[in-house]
Amino acid sequence: GAKPIKGVISTGAPGTGKTHLARIIANVADAQFYLVSGPTIVSKYVGDSEETLRMIFAAAQSDKRAIIFFDEIDSIASSRETDTNGVGKRLVAQLLTLMDGFESKGNVVVVAATNRIEDVDPALLRPGRFDRQVVVGLPDVKGREQILKVHMRKVPLHDNVRADLLARGTPGFSGADLANLVNEAALFAARRNKNQVDMQDFEDAKDKIFMGPERRSMVMREDERRNTAF
């Protein structure tokens, strides 16, 4: 006898896969996926963004199953108390009206993602709106190993590459960070004219991500100083 869920909001650090998770849910549920980018809809002309939201909700309710996904909802639904130009106030009001106006039969679920849950207007987090919160955390060591293996399929690997060792040496890395690690390692291998990416390439890529690019000398050449100044 429980009422169907209307809205779910996922929160977590950037790069943890909140958007990817929403796409997977839609795929598994065989649901139509409507993506609403927060920064994009905020940048529309006054009135256009509200009309876009109305059209999306109307289209979703006519589908057999649908997920409306708001990416970076904090850029849409920033607190009305801190809204200086009124755009957020109008969009929040429109979103509240739309979410309160449709009676969910379980066929439409509104999913949102944010890196900053504290910036989302509290009115949207009340029961009947985004009343379910899911924290998408950083992967643990086993998760990092599995993520690395997925991205490593795209590059030719040397036999000495150990995903488990790399996973243990990358605490705090998100899924996006790990994808970047594989890309950087492949770039190191390409610069060294290698046919395969080896463990040294991965270690150098990890050092670059942790500490920035290597400096050959702490003394800047005059041409480098001039370029940096410009």
Side-chain angles (χ1 to χ4, degrees):
K3 291 182 69 175
I5 298 171
K6 261 192 184 183
V8 178
I9 187 164
S10 61
T11 179
T16 49
K18 299 181 292 295
T19 303
H20 190 56
L21 184 61
R23 290 186 183 278
I24 291 171
I25 293 169
N27 187 51
V28 171
D30 191 24
Q32 184 69 37
F33 187 76
Y34 295 89
L35 173 62
V36 183
S37 168
T40 300
I41 201 164
V42 166
S43 67
K44 283 178 175 285
Y45 290 109
V46 176
D48 285 356
S49 50
E50 292 98 316
E51 179 61 26
T52 300
L53 288 181
R54 283 194 293 271
M55 289 171 60
I56 289 170
F57 270 81
Q61 288 177 77
S62 66
D63 287 318
K64 183 180 178 182
R65 278 187 294 272
I67 287 177
I68 305 172
F69 177 66
F70 287 89
D71 198 12
E72 297 183 60
I73 195 171
D74 47 90
S75 50
I76 300 174
S78 56
S79 175
R80 284 171 285 186
E81 285 72 22
T82 60
D83 184 28
T84 55
N85 58 11
V87 174
K89 188 179 293 185
R90 289 192 299 273
L91 285 172
V92 168
Q94 180 67 67
L95 199 47
L96 290 171
T97 300
L98 291 167
M99 291 197 74
D100 290 343
F102 85 92
E103 190 60 41
S104 177
K105 299 183 179 121
N107 66 315
V108 179
V109 176
V110 186
V111 181
T114 179
N115 303 330
R116 301 188 301 273
I117 190 72
E118 66 277 4
D119 288 349
V120 176
D121 195 302
L124 282 165
L125 304 178
R126 290 174 190 154
R129 294 161 185 170
F130 292 107
D131 53 354
R132 305 289 178 94
Q133 293 185 29
V134 177
V135 177
V136 183
L138 292 167
D140 60 13
V141 63
K142 196 66 182 173
R144 292 195 297 275
E145 181 181 349
Q146 296 300 321
I147 292 168
L148 280 168
K149 285 179 176 177
V150 169
H151 293 294
M152 283 175 174
R153 293 176 195 157
K154 303 171 187 175
V155 297
L157 294 179
H158 192 277
D159 292 340
N160 68 359
V161 174
R162 292 272 305 276
D164 57 332
L165 290 179
L166 289 167
R168 287 203 291 271
T170 49
F173 272 41
S174 68
D177 292 331
L178 294 168
N180 185 39
L181 174 66
V182 177
N183 288 336
E184 287 290 346
L187 288 172
F188 270 109
R191 291 189 198 107
R192 293 162 178 167
N193 295 317
K194 296 179 182 177
N195 295 323
Q196 293 179 316
V197 186
D198 62 25
M199 201 64 174
Q200 187 59 51
D201 299 318
F202 276 101
E203 290 296 340
D204 290 342
K206 188 173 67 172
D207 290 344
K208 180 181 178 182
I209 293 169
F210 272 127
M211 297 179 286
E214 179 186 6
R215 289 192 64 86
R216 297 293 180 185
S217 169
M218 293 306 292
V219 179
M220 293 180 73
R221 301 190 313 272
E222 188 56 39
D223 61 332
E224 189 178 354
R225 190 192 308 274
R226 182 179 174 81
N227 289 338
T228 303
F230 278 115

